[in-house]
Amino acid sequence: MQKKVHRLVMAAFVGPCPDGMEVCHNDGNPANNYVGNLRYDTHQANYADMFIHNTHGMATKTHCRNNHEFSPGNTLIHNRKNGRTQRSCRSCWAAKSYINRHPEMKPSFQALADSYFEKYGKENHV
């Protein structure tokens, strides 16, 4: 059985991993296995670290699937029931909401979303 270096370091210098815990890197760099950079924590906390350190694939995306930039004015943050947050494109959300009320506009989704992006995408742009 192959063990990862960070697990060996923690086991040697801190002690065995408690049940339900895993080894986390404080700086988000998996190559930094210095004992001062490691801690035992929950899987949920380890997963949250990926967003804090911008190492999660979704956290580093700069545009939605319809190519609208995630600018401050065009980004919605949703608090989900499980305690996690999710971001979405405000322009696409507005277009979907409009189409729910006007189904005949569905073929024009991209043009509608782009028109919302002209409004929201420039708000609070960094």
Side-chain angles (χ1 to χ4, degrees), residues 2-109:
Q2 187 176 12
K3 291 216 175 200
K4 296 191 175 186
V5 173
H6 62 281
R7 292 181 188 166
L8 293 171
V9 169
M10 285 295 285
F13 293 99
V14 177
C17 184
D19 289 340
M21 303 291 257
E22 50 190 62
V23 180
C24 304
H25 293 83
N26 293 326
D27 67 357
N29 179 0
N32 183 356
N33 293 308
Y34 169 67
V35 70
N37 183 51
L38 302 174
R39 72 180 192 283
Y40 287 129
D41 212 332
T42 64
H43 176 72
Q44 185 175 1
N46 200 13
Y47 189 77
D49 282 351
M50 290 191 284
F51 290 94
I52 293 166
H53 301 298
N54 275 338
T55 56
H56 189 279
M58 294 302 284
T60 58
K61 287 190 176 185
T62 60
H63 291 73
C64 76
R65 69 177 67 176
N66 293 302
N67 206 31
H68 302 127
E69 183 182 9
F70 281 122
S71 64
N74 190 47
T75 304
L76 292 174
I77 305 296
H78 307 278
N79 294 314
R80 297 171 56 182
K81 290 179 183 177
N82 62 6
R84 295 182 182 170
T85 58
Q86 174 183 341
R87 69 180 176 161
S88 61
C89 174
R90 184 178 182 188
S91 301
C92 291
W93 182 86
K96 287 175 192 172
S97 179
Y98 184 85
I99 287 171
N100 283 339
R101 295 186 312 274
H102 304 279
E104 70 279 2
M105 294 296 293
K106 190 171 185 176
S108 304
F109 172 80

Side-chain angles (χ1 to χ4, degrees), residues 67-75 89-91 113-126:
N67 206 31
H68 302 127
E69 183 182 9
F70 281 122
S71 64
N74 190 47
T75 304
C89 174
R90 184 178 182 188
S91 301
D114 290 346
S115 70
Y116 280 112
F117 182 71
E118 287 299 313
K119 175 182 178 182
Y120 299 132
K122 294 181 170 107
E123 290 180 12
N124 303 316
H125 197 274
V126 208

